[in-house]
Amino acid sequence: VFNGTMHEMSKQKSTLCIIYVSEAVREPMLDIISSTVQVPHKEGSIKGARNPASRSWLLHSFRDVIYNRTSFYIAGDSTDVKDSALCLCKKAFEIIDFKSHCGTHPTLGSVDNICFSPLGDESLENVSLQAVDFSAKLYESVGVPVYLYGAASTYGSRSDVTTPTQLKDIRRQLGYFEATKSVDTAPTVQPSFGTFMRSAERDSKGVSCIGAVPYIQNLNICFGSDSPRSSVVKVT
């Protein structure tokens, strides 16, 4: 269903939103979160719809118990995707307590990363504007600080951002790659919505990174502790 629907949407003007939440162990919670978005069936029927008129669908999800991290793929009309993603994220923030999170994958919040990408004839500019509008509504709804990246960062409220901010730079400055690092001084990259929070101040929600980039497929590759650095660099 996922491959078929993605193929069809690649011929149209559509948007894909991938949402990464910091939960995978408690499956009933994931069922509650995913039930906020309608799901296509092979027969063309829809289940889990909160708005039958919506032109967006939950096409795929990947639950990684070891990482304690789940990704949700929502695609369809740009405006409807934005609305569906907001419903899913609000529910995730409501039931996931970031303070009690434990997993092997680094994360910055209950909803760690939300990535918007254009499909088919949709433009990156329009998707960026949708991502910014989504970010404003998410901050207004749940109060989570939002860091914009990719093309969306140049359309945000910060007039000092003239070149796209990269997700890796935000993560590096917020201690994403160093689990034991405590971030107590304001980094160069500031939230587009909300204010900087020191590590100890991040509440049950944490922070969210939201961006607009061309669609890419992420891969997680495991290397042994004795793998030569040259081999790792060659592969990655």
Side-chain angles (χ1 to χ4, degrees):
V1 176
F2 172 70
N3 289 334
T5 308
M6 283 287 286
H7 177 68
E8 288 302 314
M9 289 187 176
S10 68
K11 302 176 183 178
Q12 306 170 20
K13 197 172 184 179
S14 306
T15 295
L16 171 68
C17 179
I18 308 176
I19 303 170
Y20 298 86
V21 304
S22 300
E23 178 58 59
V25 176
R26 294 168 289 187
E27 190 170 4
M29 292 179 64
L30 298 176
D31 291 338
I32 293 173
I33 293 171
S34 63
S35 69
T36 61
V37 186
Q38 58 190 9
V39 181
H41 280 187
K42 291 181 180 179
E43 297 79 9
S45 61
I46 299 293
K47 73 172 184 177
R50 296 305 175 94
N51 178 10
S54 175
R55 294 168 296 169
S56 64
W57 297 269
L58 177 62
L59 299 184
H60 173 68
S61 64
F62 177 70
R63 173 176 170 239
D64 194 312
V65 176
I66 296 177
Y67 277 177
N68 200 11
R69 182 179 178 89
T70 300
S71 57
F72 297 95
Y73 289 61
I74 302 174
D77 172 78
S78 295
T79 299
D80 289 344
V81 165
K82 177 183 64 179
D83 293 341
S84 294
L86 185 61
C87 287
L88 188 148
C89 289
K90 287 168 66 175
K91 180 58 67 176
F93 277 117
E94 178 185 326
I95 64 178
I96 297 175
D97 184 358
F98 185 58
K99 283 186 176 180
S100 62
H101 173 77
C102 181
T104 59
H105 196 289
T107 179
L108 294 171
S110 298
V111 182
D112 175 56
N113 182 20
I114 305 162
C115 182
F116 289 83
S117 298
L119 297 177
D121 295 330
E122 184 57 278
S123 68
L124 184 59
E125 178 182 6
N126 186 52
V127 169
S128 298
L129 294 173
Q130 294 287 355
V132 172
D133 185 55
F134 169 88
S135 301
K137 290 179 177 178
L138 183 66
Y139 174 68
E140 181 181 349
S141 299
V142 302
V144 61
V146 171
Y147 290 80
L148 290 175
Y149 68 88
S153 62
T154 62
Y155 290 92
S157 58
R158 294 182 56 82
S159 59
D160 58 326
V161 179
T162 55
T163 58
T165 302
Q166 295 192 48
L167 177 59
K168 65 179 182 179
D169 293 331
I170 298 172
R171 287 174 163 176
R172 184 175 292 112
Q173 292 191 40
L174 294 181
Y176 180 91
F177 299 108
E178 302 171 72
T180 59
K181 180 179 180 180
S182 178
V183 181
D184 297 317
T185 57
T188 303
V189 179
Q190 291 294 301
S192 298
F193 298 94
T195 57
F196 167 72
M197 299 171 64
R198 296 193 299 269
S199 297
E201 293 176 338
R202 294 177 193 169
D203 60 8
S204 60
K205 301 180 182 68
V207 303
S208 290
C209 297
I210 301 176
V213 298
Y215 174 63
I216 59 171
Q217 180 62 55
N218 295 317
L219 300 174
N220 291 323
I221 304 174
C222 295
F223 292 94
S225 58
D226 57 347
S227 298
R229 185 177 185 279
S230 58
S231 298
V232 176
V233 170
K234 183 177 181 180
V235 172
T236 59

